[in-house]
Amino acid sequence: MAPFTLAHLSDPHLAPLPKPRLIELAGKRALGYVNWTRNRHKYQRREVLDALVADMKAQAPDHIAVTGDLVNLALEAEFAPARAWLDDVGPPDRVTTIPGNHDAYVRATFHRFGETFAPYLTGDDGRIGFPSVRRRGPLALISLSTAVPTLPLMATGTLGRDQLAALEALLESLAAEDVFRVLLVHHPLKSSARQKRMTDAPALLALLKRHGVELVLHGHDHIHSTIWVEGPNGNIPVLGVPSASALAHGHYPAAAYNLFTIEKDNAGWRCEQTVRGLGAGFQIGQIKHARLI
């Protein structure tokens, strides 16, 4: 059987930002809008995102995972362009997305992500909700949501007791299947930044220690990240990627995506990672190649 290839990108923060109505700039959005107009618009660039996606398509992955933050302030006018962009990335049977904290920026439009991207969220059972499972080739893609509205200056995420309990039951049911389990979540599993952390990450880490998955993919931090967390049969690789639309700035690297090649290896699995990203001359090229499993 030919190897299965999974592409992973995150945090496209689609530009340009539509001009908000004055009534939409109350509370948290006001600070976000000031940050966008003064800073973020300089390095969250649509031309960068378009170049990265074009290169990713040229690699012809079997499936694409987008781990959140498609929009910026969750303005009503942001969602239709974001759906058009995702449709261009690929059809719902070839692309899976989950929400990030910017997709649930305020309570007024908290529901819009699920409505707008429903075909890209729906699990194999036909439901829209989290956790969900989509089986693609040898993979079981397990989607979680940490996207909750938060106070100004906070970008935390939370799974909640119900989602964690459902995830445990789901992993128990998958244990008897010969599948490569990929967990998709927006927030990282470990964070030193109190205002950006997943508040119930310890509970998720304890759950993974008991039941395990083969790979965890996330975004949120806008950096290259590889850590290993404890599983029942060895360590689990947990990988994050930079923002898919970013120019390099400060300690944040330029846009990049991961490409994973997955195949059976005797009684276990083999998984190799290729990182491709923005380099000199606005060219996308290979940054790194490594075997994870």
Side-chain angles (χ1 to χ4, degrees), residues 157-170:
T158 301
L159 291 166
R161 185 179 304 174
D162 291 347
Q163 192 173 177
L164 284 164
L167 175 62
E168 182 151 33
L170 176 57

Side-chain angles (χ1 to χ4, degrees), residues 13 20 23 29 31 41 48 118 139 155 182 198 255 257 263 277 293:
H13 289 285
I23 195 173
R29 277 200 186 126
L31 292 175
H41 79 280
V48 172
L139 273 57
V182 182
M198 186 194 310
Y257 69 94
E263 60 184 323
I293 300 173

